[in-house]
Amino acid sequence: MTVFLIRHGQTRGNLERRYIGSTDQRLCARGREALEAVRPPAADALYVSPMLRCRETAAILYPDMEQTVVPGLQETDMGAFEGHTYAELKDDIFYQAWLESSGDIAPPGGERKEEVRIRVLEAFRSVAARHGPEDAAALVVHGGTIMTLLEALEPSHEYYRWQAPNGGGFCCTWDGTEIKVEGEL
């Protein structure tokens, strides 16, 4: 199966470098304009995170396709860190502990990296189970969702290697066991 992992367009929070995981922000004007120039790959099915920024991105990139909302594909809930920048949080002891743990502990009121991994993998496998090897599915999701998925299923098991720009992403193949990244979108 071919899988297109596409990160949502830019939001105001992205511009301001804020943690906006579970904050339901719309695309900003600059984000919408940038997406208008993107030529998305042809897909047989379209899956989206329930977050508004993903649904708006999908509507711009695939205006004639029905969106299937998959709650498990949403971004990490950053809890008390939501809406804040590194500069605002850098002296917070809970933020420092979270950074030092590489996300193994949860932000206050948020999700641990392992919780996100389990959720995202379950959601992806349920999507993949609907398709055969000749199908192509586009997933319009979040940067953290893409990194989580590829860290878990791509052979290098690297997380930060898979940072995608807003409106960008990766063309992949899924063989039922692992994902192979074929290139960038």
Side-chain angles (χ1 to χ4, degrees), residues 63-93:
D64 299 322
M65 288 187 74
E66 180 179 341
Q67 298 179 20
T68 300
V69 175
V70 182
L73 295 175
Q74 74 184 54
E75 183 63 282
T76 303
D77 182 343
M78 297 301 293
F81 303 156
E82 287 281 332
H84 295 284
T85 65
Y86 169 80
E88 293 168 348
L89 294 169
K90 66 181 179 174
D91 296 324
D92 182 301
I93 60 169

